[in-house]
Amino acid sequence: MKNLNLVVLFLLIISGLACTDNTENLISGPDDGGEEPSGEVSYSNDVQPIFNGSCTSCHGSSGNVSLSSYSALMNSVGNSYGSNLVVAGNADGSGLVDKIEPNPDHGSRMPVGGSLTNSEIQTIRTWINEGAKNN
Ligand code: HEC
C-alpha cells in the first residue's frame, strides 16, 4: 500500500513537470527571435504625423517633393533620386530614408536645420520595409 502511494505521488510530480514544460513552450515561443513588434506601422497614424510635424512646412502640396499625403509622397520625384524616393519593401534603397539619415548622397540631411529622432526614422524604415502601404 505504501509503495502504491509513492508511485501515485511520483506520477503526480511527473505530470506536474510535464504541464509546466508545456506552458513554458507556449509562452516563450514568440519572444525567442527578438523580432519587431507584430503590429504593422500605419501610414496615416504613424508616418504622416512625422511629416506634418517636421517636413510639410517646406514640402507642402506643390514642388518636386510633397509630403502632404500618401499619394503626394508616392508621386514625388525629387531632383536627385529620380523616382526612387520610396521603394516599397526596401528602406535602404529609398531616397526618402537616405535624406533623413546622416550624410545623404545628395544635398543636406532633412529636415533642414534639425533631424528626426531615431524612433521616427525607424518608424519610416519599418513602414517602407512592410511594403509602403496606404494603411
Ligand atoms: C526648412 C525647410 C525644409 C524642411 C523642414 C524639410 N526640407 Fe526637405 N528639402 C528642403 C530643401 C531646401 C531641399 C533641396 C536641397 C537639398 O536636397 O538639400 C529639400 C529636399 C528634399 C528632398 C529631395 C532630395 C532630392 O534632391 O531629390 C527630400 C526627399 C526631402 N527634402 C525630404 C524631407 C523630409 C522627409 C523632411 C522632414 C523630415 C524635410 N525634407 C524637411 C527644405 C526642407
Side-chain angles (χ1 to χ4, degrees):
M1 217 34 188
K2 204 173 180 188
N3 276 347
L4 185 62
N5 279 345
L6 281 177
V7 167
V8 169
L9 187 62
F10 183 72
L11 286 177
L12 281 176
I13 290 171
I14 293 290
S15 61
L17 288 177
C19 278
T20 316
D21 275 0
N22 284 343
T23 320
E24 267 174 10
N25 283 343
L26 279 178
I27 293 171
S28 65
D31 295 335
D32 288 346
E35 291 165 34
E36 289 172 22
S38 54
E40 261 194 345
V41 173
S42 152
Y43 181 81
S44 54
N45 292 332
D46 305 318
V47 176
Q48 186 63 54
I50 298 174
F51 295 151
N52 292 347
S54 302
C55 317
T56 51
S57 56
C58 297
H59 301 282
S61 49
S62 62
N64 285 345
V65 178
S66 170
L67 303 174
S68 59
S69 69
Y70 176 83
S71 58
L73 166 64
M74 299 309 270
N75 289 324
S76 287
V77 188
N79 295 314
S80 321
Y81 294 91
S83 55
N84 295 337
L85 278 186
V86 173
V87 181
N90 183 4
D92 287 330
S94 296
L96 177 71
V97 171
D98 184 56
K99 262 321 237 189
I100 59 177
E101 295 190 331
N103 308 313
D105 292 346
H106 307 282
S108 33
R109 184 179 184 181
M110 296 288 136
V112 172
S115 60
L116 298 180
T117 66
N118 284 339
S119 81
E120 287 172 323
I121 293 170
Q122 199 53 49
T123 296
I124 292 170
R125 281 183 148 281
T126 304
W127 169 71
I128 293 176
N129 283 333
E130 286 176 347
K133 293 178 206 145
N134 187 6
N135 57 357

